[in-house]
Amino acid sequence: MANHPKTDPYLERLRAIQMETTVVDARLDALESGYALDAQKIDAIVMAQMNNRPACYEDFLSETEIKDIAKRYNQALNKGVDCDALDYALSAACGLISGLVDVVFVGSPGEGLADKASDNMFDAAVVRFAKTIKDEKTGEQAWKPRLGNENSPASARGFLERQFKACYDQTTSKGVDHAVKNMTTKNHHAKSAAHYPDLIGLVASICNQFTDTSTFLDGKSGQIVIVPGAGKGVELKGETLPAKVFSGIANWFGHCMSDITGSSGSQGRGMGLPLPFWEFFDLCNFGKFTNDKGDWQSFATVMTQVYEQGYDVRHGVATTFPVTINELLVRAIYALKRHYVGGIPWTECVPSGDSPELQRMLTVGVGSMCLIDLGHATVTSWGNWVKFFGELNITAWARFGMQGARELQMAAERDTRNLLAINDDISEEWNRILERSRALLAEDNARL
């Protein structure tokens, strides 16, 4: 028995519509040629044909036309991403340039020019924030630095620490009766859940402030540890629950600002706040990675040591610099090629997020950048896992993951998108027939 391809009801409907448009075209051709037609008789014949068997192109088209339509519809149904070799080459070149910018200007935490610019930006932000705090009684600036320290980040941090005290600010394992292992002044921000500048950190902070507890992430055991009564009873302001919640949010934000560039007594660069959602690494108590001494460590321990090397929010912001350059370069190349090579007007060359070609070019660009980043980290680390992960550009890899997810989504929606495009073509065909009908009616009215 011969195997026949599985029919698609939607495509059968499209074929029926194509037959209807062809019949109407034939009737219009006859009217334009001056033939008198019995419309009721023709409609009856057409309806009988549609009821007795499925509509097909062969009734109205020549063999050459059938082959041409089959070819065009097959291309439409299987249309992928319309990128040529030049698109891929230009995107890869953008990734290469961005990767070199990452290697030269970012590099290791706290060392590159981008890191220094990021550190200065955050220091200035802390000073500006401290100057915005007003005394409740006088309404004047509450921060009263010593002469010469008006723009001192250390002085501003000290003021903010006193102004926004937190019950979860223990700095060592001893401060929590060793409930959390291996917590030191260098990593207590990463181990305290409320110190993360994200939604999880905010929720943990509010809960800790209401219950006078401290929530820690113990990378040694991969568990969440809650220490009760360790905060010496820091009270929230406000008489009502909403007021206390707002006070807790404000206190959390102010305390984060006091720690975002390190503590007031920090020497050198200091340990800032960890990156948003870095807390999930502290729960990854699995894997075997060797350290300098040859001992095995879990992934959580390695990532804690990466933070201790300076991979904090400030370095995270510095890593966005080459990623932003890559994004701008790819979008600029996309627009320029469409205009100068494709001859498309500038108004239609604006990079659109819905364009499959642009998304593919962005994927290739950031993928090339990640390859450069991976190669650089591998060569410079020489088996040192802390050094390896510390050299990686986490923003680039996150962007690459997002682009990969976008590619999968677009691949899943490709068939639907192509069928909608075919439907648009059929709508245009109906509009063409309608225009012809209007022209014939206008001619008949003119003769009458």
Side-chain angles (χ1 to χ4, degrees):
M1 183 181 294
N3 292 327
H4 297 285
K6 184 179 179 181
T7 59
D8 188 328
Y10 185 71
L11 292 181
E12 288 297 325
R13 177 58 184 156
L14 294 183
R15 294 191 184 98
I17 295 173
Q18 177 66 21
M19 187 203 71
E20 293 175 24
T21 60
T22 307
V23 170
V24 176
D25 259 337
R27 291 169 59 183
L28 291 174
D29 287 338
L31 290 173
E32 288 175 345
S33 301
Y35 292 101
L37 298 179
D38 188 341
Q40 293 182 351
K41 183 176 180 181
I42 292 177
D43 289 343
I45 294 173
V46 172
M47 293 303 297
Q49 289 179 340
M50 292 184 64
N51 293 329
N52 292 335
R53 59 178 176 77
C56 58
Y57 292 116
E58 287 83 353
D59 295 333
F60 309 99
L61 302 173
S62 66
E63 183 176 352
T64 302
E65 290 173 327
I66 291 172
K67 290 181 178 180
D68 180 62
I69 290 175
K71 180 179 178 181
R72 288 192 293 111
Y73 273 72
N74 182 63
Q75 291 175 345
L77 285 171
N78 295 282
K79 182 181 178 181
V81 180
D82 191 19
C83 285
D84 54 26
L86 183 58
D87 291 323
Y88 287 109
L90 292 173
S91 301
C94 292
L96 175 62
I97 294 172
S98 304
L100 293 176
V101 170
D102 178 44
V103 171
V104 175
F105 293 99
V106 180
S108 300
E111 296 181 3
L113 293 177
D115 265 65
K116 290 179 172 54
S118 178
D119 289 355
N120 292 335
M121 180 184 71
F122 276 97
D123 284 340
V126 170
V127 171
R128 285 197 300 270
F129 179 73
K131 291 180 178 180
T132 62
I133 307 300
K134 304 298 182 181
D135 187 281
E136 294 181 357
K137 296 181 179 179
T138 64
E140 298 178 353
Q141 180 179 304
W143 177 35
K144 304 295 183 181
R146 294 179 180 178
L147 185 63
N149 288 342
E150 292 83 359
N151 294 309
S152 170
S155 177
R157 288 195 299 264
F159 163 75
L160 293 175
E161 287 176 355
R162 296 188 298 272
Q163 190 76 13
F164 299 98
K165 295 180 180 180
C167 59
Y168 46 78
D169 203 24
Q170 297 79 24
T171 58
T172 62
S173 295
K174 184 178 179 180
V176 292
D177 294 330
H178 299 281
V180 182
K181 307 298 183 184
N182 302 323
M183 185 167 72
T184 66
T185 56
K186 292 188 66 176
N187 61 30
H188 78 281
H189 289 162
K191 289 185 176 294
S192 172
H195 277 92
Y196 282 86
D198 54 29
L199 182 60
I200 296 175
L202 173 59
V203 172
S205 175
I206 297 297
C207 293
N208 289 158
Q209 292 181 74
F210 266 94
T211 58
D212 190 23
T213 58
S214 301
T215 304
F216 296 97
L217 307 167
D218 193 346
K220 193 73 174 178
S221 61
Q223 296 179 346
I224 298 175
V225 179
I226 298 178
V227 180
K232 300 179 181 179
V234 177
E235 280 191 39
L236 289 172
K237 296 180 180 179
E239 300 296 333
T240 63
L241 179 62
K244 287 182 177 293
V245 171
F246 181 80
S247 174
I249 294 173
N251 195 59
W252 168 76
F253 180 79
H255 190 76
C256 284
M257 289 299 295
S258 73
D259 287 337
I260 201 166
T261 59
S263 302
S264 58
S266 298
Q267 299 296 323
R269 186 169 181 264
M271 304 306 302
L273 295 181
L275 284 166
F277 306 110
W278 190 278
E279 57 264 41
F280 291 106
F281 292 140
D282 285 321
L283 302 178
C284 297
N285 187 32
F286 53 77
K288 291 185 176 181
F289 302 86
T290 56
N291 59 14
D292 295 336
K293 300 178 181 179
D295 299 327
W296 293 105
Q297 300 179 123
S298 67
F299 184 64
T301 301
V302 171
M303 295 310 292
T304 298
Q305 293 175 1
V306 170
Y307 165 75
E308 292 175 353
Q309 299 300 315
Y311 212 123
D312 56 12
V313 168
R314 293 170 293 175
H315 182 67
V317 170
T319 61
T320 64
F321 176 56
V323 177
T324 303
I325 289 179
N326 178 74
E327 191 87 8
L328 295 175
L329 284 176
V330 172
R331 291 179 181 273
I333 290 296
Y334 171 81
L336 291 172
K337 182 176 179 294
R338 280 170 62 85
H339 178 71
Y340 289 108
V341 178
I344 301 174
W346 281 115
T347 54
E348 300 178 16
C349 292
V350 178
S352 172
D354 296 331
S355 169
E357 291 74 28
L358 174 60
Q359 294 303 321
R360 177 59 55 84
M361 292 177 68
L362 289 171
T363 302
V364 173
V366 73
S368 301
M369 178 183 172
C370 286
L371 285 177
I372 299 295
D373 184 48
L374 180 64
H376 174 253
T378 303
V379 171
T380 56
S381 62
W382 291 105
N384 185 329
W385 288 107
V386 175
K387 178 72 172 175
F388 174 79
F389 288 111
E391 291 289 339
L392 291 180
N393 186 318
I394 193 171
T395 306
W397 287 97
R399 185 73 178 93
F400 185 54
M402 293 172 60
Q403 278 300 127
R406 184 68 179 270
E407 289 280 346
L408 292 175
Q409 179 187 4
M410 294 184 68
E413 296 176 349
R414 184 184 63 185
D415 291 342
T416 302
R417 186 172 62 251
N418 291 340
L419 287 175
L420 290 175
I422 294 175
N423 200 28
D424 291 339
D425 291 341
I426 292 175
S427 298
E428 292 179 3
E429 186 72 6
W430 275 112
N431 291 331
R432 184 184 63 82
I433 292 174
L434 181 61
E435 291 300 324
R436 290 183 62 188
S437 302
R438 288 173 176 171
L440 285 173
L441 290 174
E443 292 178 4
D444 289 340
N445 291 334
R447 285 198 296 267
L448 295 175

